[in-house]
Amino acid sequence: MLTTNPYDDDKLREECGVFGVSATDGAAALVALGLHALQHRGQEAAGITTFDGAHFHTHRAMGHVAGNFDRDDVIRALPGTVACGHVRYSTTGETALRNVQPLYAELSTGGFAIAHNGNISNAMRLRRELVRRGSIFQSTSDTETIIHLVATSNYRTLLDRFIDALKQVEGAYSLIVMTPEGMIACRDPLGIRPLVMGKLGDAVIFASETVALDVVGATFVRAVEPGELVIVQGSEIRSIRPFAPMAARPCIFEWVYFSRPDSIVDDHSVYSVRKAIGAQLAIESPVDADLVIPVPDSGTPAAIGYAQQSGIPFELGIIRSHYVGRTFISPGDKVRHLGVKLKHNANRALIKGKRVILVDDSIVRGTTSLKIVQMMREAGAAEVHMRIASPPTRHSCFYGVDTPERAKLLAAKLDLGGMTGFIHADSLNFISIDGLYKALGEAKRADIRPKYCDACFTGDYPTTLTDHDEGAEVDQFAMLAERVI
């Protein structure tokens, strides 16, 4: 089996997106539209849960939103005026329907559905304690830990139980929860993962990104604040902040790669920030060349910024096909190699004899960059220079991003010269961490209290990492193997 998306396979992946709506007819159809807009955040599976005032209804499926939720019979089987949905991308380990969200359970207080973007960094320790106390887990997802913490809490009301559960978890979470009493949306106290609120008539909508609000015709109201719980019960909306105030540390990679360019994240246009990153990269790492070429599609805004700042023409030197299925079966290595070009191909007539600058958002393992440089050489490029719109990724993420083990990160193993040699480029440079902050309107990274979570670049993790620090290994629960969210 060969992936026909060889360039995307070496990317860091945001592992899911969430969308919820309260107080509107046809809630399931609205959620399906919202999930379409968030498909880039998770392409392995999708699910929707609804509540009709008496019963919860759920449909979960492997694969994309299209094909699973574009069918009238599926939507008709999800009645109700309240609904939440989830698109999922898992890392290594089991890929199974039991891990597809929203997860649902019958608690003593009634039905409880939860959709989660993030990662609980002490989930293994909590899970062991819960199992010792008698909990029976039905999935290998860290999200299920929250359900059991709510179920076993000694507090009386469901809201107090939920808050009690959240105070026991570490890491990152943006959650949408459905109960018979209403909907709850919340972010962790550091606001690592994004979550926004909008309105569509009387309906209240929550989503991972503003683009999902745009798609359903909703008006953006505001971001859910770090540490905030927004509770929607019918037409009533109230907000509580049960956690001690903390300086927020949202994930800086949302602007570099994860979010769609047409989204607004914490009052910053993602597209504008990416162009600013490219411009700053041109200032920091100029090179005499003929063309600036984006690595499609994520490198395009930064490449535009680089070209505008440098005065070097922007051109589409790599053409991407959007009509190729994800995989195909290859009978041999020769056909396997040719299959790589189904997704991306060099614009040979443009490139031949030219000195080119390739702009990409990141380098992870380096295998992507190696293939792209080779493609440019085979197309006749005189020189191939690579510029990266993020600092070197030297550390793994534990907050809801699929990152290889640190030993597999190219920048953790090699210095700049070694990386340049590995990808066979004439030159390679990354934007500096201070340059990245400058593109976001910050003077520089403040080492004492940085404004963003940039741990994948700096190793400065904003929370404790209990499971990692304890050297937890895969056990009978397979939690480490299945870091799914």
Side-chain angles (χ1 to χ4, degrees), residues 153-173:
S153 173
N154 292 322
Y155 283 85
R156 187 177 61 85
T157 69
L158 177 62
L159 181 59
D160 287 338
R161 290 183 176 193
F162 183 54
I163 293 170
D164 180 43
L166 295 182
K167 287 183 175 180
Q168 298 178 63
V169 302
E170 301 170 358
Y173 54 82

Side-chain angles (χ1 to χ4, degrees), residues 413-437:
K413 299 185 292 184
L414 301 173
D415 61 12
L416 184 61
M419 288 189 283
T420 306
F422 179 85
I423 67 172
H424 297 166
D426 290 287
S427 73
L428 167 69
N429 267 308
F430 300 77
I431 193 170
S432 67
I433 189 68
D434 285 348
L436 182 57
Y437 272 73

Side-chain angles (χ1 to χ4, degrees), residues 30 41 91 403:
L30 203 62
R41 300 184 76 91
T91 62
T403 317

